[in-house]
């Protein structure tokens, strides 16, 4: 051990012993620097992570699933996400509607990665199959904004052939961008079908 480490240990060890033995200085109360008044206890959020402290020996209770295990933990179940609809969006041609310059500015500033909105309908599937190679070369990610069944989601995944697509309502996004039709590709340069 080097001389420097020995000196450091000779200072730290007595300081720790004093802090532990002295009591109050090491266990001082926390000082609240800021409290918005909307503080909530953390304990309800920790419930799913805490194990039962006393395992039950009663066979009937031992076979009952832990109520917290039914909650939000674990993988999402696709059937719980369906049907998926995006009010304000419908399948079809968007025409040559010019974009608001403010929307174009926002796209150029906050959209480094191209993304696309599609549905599980025939028009979207045909669009996806036709543009798949272009979407892949752009590194675009997709959002499935309309699907009724698990079979619809599987059909989109088959046509996508590995493109990254997530499920979600596109209503807020469409409203922010001023679009009302899909399928559509959104890039920093604009929105196109």
């Amino acid at each position: 051990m080097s001389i420097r480490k020995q000196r450091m240990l000779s200072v730290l060890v007595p300081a720790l012993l004093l802090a532990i033995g002295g009591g109050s200085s090491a266990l001082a109360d926390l000082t609240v620097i800021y409290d918005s008044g909307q503080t909530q206890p953390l304990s309800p959020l920790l419930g799913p992570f805490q194990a039962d402290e006393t395992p039950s020996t009663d066979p009937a209770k031992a076979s009952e699933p832990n109520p917290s295990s039914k909650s939000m933990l674990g993988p999402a179940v696709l059937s719980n996400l369906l049907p998926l609809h995006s009010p304000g969006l419908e399948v079809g041609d968007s025409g040559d509607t010019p974009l608001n310059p403010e929307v174009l500015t926002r796209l150029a500033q906050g959209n480094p990665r191209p993304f696309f909105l599609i549905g599980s309908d025939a028009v979207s599937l045909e669009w996806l199959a036709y543009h798949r190679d272009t979407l892949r070369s752009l590194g675009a990610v997709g959002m499935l904004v309309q699907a009724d069944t698990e079979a619809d989601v599987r059909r989109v995944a088959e046509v996508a052939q590995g493109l990254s697509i997530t499920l979600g309502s596109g209503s807020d996004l469409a409203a922010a961008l001023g679009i009302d039709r899909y399928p559509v590709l959104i890039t920093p340069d604009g929105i196109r079908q």
Side-chain angles (χ1 to χ4, degrees):
M1 197 182 307
S2 72
I3 295 173
R4 188 175 198 182
K5 287 182 183 176
Q6 287 177 347
R7 283 188 201 155
M8 195 180 282
L9 282 175
S10 65
V11 171
L12 285 176
V13 171
L16 286 172
L17 290 175
L18 280 173
I20 294 170
S24 64
S25 63
L27 302 174
D29 290 333
L30 294 175
T31 302
V32 177
I33 297 172
Y34 174 76
D35 184 0
S36 67
Q38 298 177 0
T39 305
Q40 296 183 6
L42 187 59
S43 57
L45 301 172
L46 297 176
F49 300 106
Q50 296 171 338
D52 290 338
E53 289 156 15
T54 54
S56 176
T57 56
D58 180 13
K61 288 186 179 181
S63 64
E64 290 178 15
N66 182 355
S68 64
S69 66
K70 294 181 192 175
S71 66
M72 306 161 286
L73 299 178
V77 178
L78 185 57
S79 61
N80 290 341
L81 302 173
L82 298 171
L84 175 63
H85 298 282
S86 298
L89 272 174
E90 58 187 61
V91 66
D93 187 10
S94 63
D96 293 330
T97 310
L99 283 177
N100 180 339
E102 190 177 299
V103 170
L104 284 173
T105 303
R106 275 187 279 164
L107 282 174
Q109 291 173 346
N111 182 28
R113 187 169 188 182
F115 64 99
F116 56 96
L117 305 178
I118 58 168
S120 62
D121 55 273
V123 172
S124 292
L125 293 175
E126 184 179 323
W127 182 90
L128 181 59
Y130 183 80
H131 294 287
R132 182 178 45 236
D133 293 336
T134 303
L135 296 170
R136 186 172 286 119
S137 69
L138 290 171
V141 294
M143 179 183 281
L144 181 60
V145 297
Q146 177 280 321
D148 291 323
T149 66
E150 290 182 39
D152 290 343
V153 176
R154 282 190 209 96
R155 198 168 32 256
V156 170
E158 287 171 12
V159 174
Q161 294 182 1
L163 283 172
S164 179
I165 300 177
T166 187
L167 278 71
S169 174
S171 296
D172 291 341
L173 180 63
L177 297 175
I179 58 176
D180 61 356
R181 304 270 192 241
Y182 64 86
V184 65
L185 172 63
I186 303 160
T187 69
D189 301 325
I191 301 172
R192 61 184 173 189
Q193 282 191 312

